[in-house]
Amino acid sequence: MTGAGSTEHDYTEHDYDVVISGAGLAGSAAAILLARRGVRVALLERRSDPGAYKVLCTHSLTANAYPVLDELGLIPALEEAGAVRNEARWYTRWGWIEPGAAPGPELPYGYNVRRSTLDPIIRSRAGQTPGVDLLLGHQVTGLIQEGGRTVGVRASTPQGERELRARLVVGADGKDSAAGSAPTDR
């Protein structure tokens, strides 16, 4: 899947403005928001399945995530997919904490939604965003450095090794980020 549009830039030195390793929640959200601001983004995901999702993770989004979900345009898709609205409520050793709204506008709410639903929705939205190239089956294997600067990534793809150059490289592929800890080429 590739984005529907591109921006006017000189790509003789760089293929993209930003390369993001990891098309999960953080990587996809960053790609969407950057592309909406005119940045050309390569969003790399090591898994080839567009329906892939993070298995070991919670499926509760708190109300403070609502403004970002709304800005990403995900609220209608979440509700259509069956996400359940929730309100914050925590049990502590002192009892239940149930924040109430102060007088004024209604507070946003959170959602309970499985990652098997959420991850494909946001990844699909990123792939449909003009300026984002969603590259499934691309696993970062190394960073490309020139003059002491990271200028791109080397990725393993179903077609073989590939280099992608960018002004900025973002590791959004977890605590063992390939983009953050990959061997460098000098």
Side-chain angles (χ1 to χ4, degrees), residues 153-177:
V153 299
R154 181 167 283 110
S156 173
T157 77
Q159 293 77 34
E161 286 289 312
R162 177 177 182 188
E163 286 188 359
L164 295 128
R165 294 181 171 267
R167 291 173 173 78
L168 176 68
V169 173
V170 176
D173 48 356
K175 69 178 184 72
D176 296 320
S177 173

Side-chain angles (χ1 to χ4, degrees), residues 14-67:
H14 295 90
D15 300 318
Y16 295 93
D17 295 312
V18 179
V19 170
I20 300 174
S21 176
L25 300 180
S28 293
I32 293 166
L33 296 173
L34 287 167
R36 285 184 183 168
R37 287 156 180 83
V39 176
R40 184 162 156 81
V41 180
L43 180 57
L44 282 62
E45 173 56 45
R46 66 179 170 81
R47 297 171 291 190
S48 296
D49 178 7
Y53 61 93
K54 187 171 183 178
V55 177
L56 296 175
C57 194
T58 185
H59 55 269
S60 181
L61 301 169
T62 59
N64 62 342
Y66 187 94

Side-chain angles (χ1 to χ4, degrees), residues 30-178:
I32 293 166
L33 296 173
L34 287 167
R36 285 184 183 168
R37 287 156 180 83
V39 176
R40 184 162 156 81
V41 180
L43 180 57
L44 282 62
E45 173 56 45
R46 66 179 170 81
R47 297 171 291 190
S48 296
D49 178 7
Y53 61 93
K54 187 171 183 178
V55 177
L56 296 175
C57 194
T58 185
H59 55 269
S60 181
L61 301 169
T62 59
N64 62 342
Y66 187 94
V68 175
L69 295 171
D70 189 39
E71 182 177 355
L72 293 169
L74 294 174
I75 300 298
L78 288 174
E79 293 195 354
E80 184 177 306
V84 177
R85 293 180 182 183
N86 67 38
E87 296 179 5
R89 188 173 176 215
W90 300 275
Y91 183 77
T92 69
R93 64 181 173 168
W94 301 282
W96 283 98
I97 298 174
E98 298 180 67
E106 184 179 334
L107 290 176
Y109 39 84
Y111 286 99
N112 288 357
V113 58
R114 293 186 181 275
R115 291 294 295 266
S116 58
T117 300
L118 178 60
D119 288 17
I121 287 174
I122 193 168
R123 186 175 301 115
S124 173
R125 178 64 48 101
Q128 295 167 4
T129 301
V132 175
D133 287 343
L134 175 58
L135 304 173
L136 300 175
H138 282 59
Q139 182 169 358
V140 173
T141 58
L143 299 176
I144 303 168
Q145 291 193 337
E146 292 174 359
R149 264 189 96 244
T150 299
V151 296
V153 299
R154 181 167 283 110
S156 173
T157 77
Q159 293 77 34
E161 286 289 312
R162 177 177 182 188
E163 286 188 359
L164 295 128
R165 294 181 171 267
R167 291 173 173 78
L168 176 68
V169 173
V170 176
D173 48 356
K175 69 178 184 72
D176 296 320
S177 173

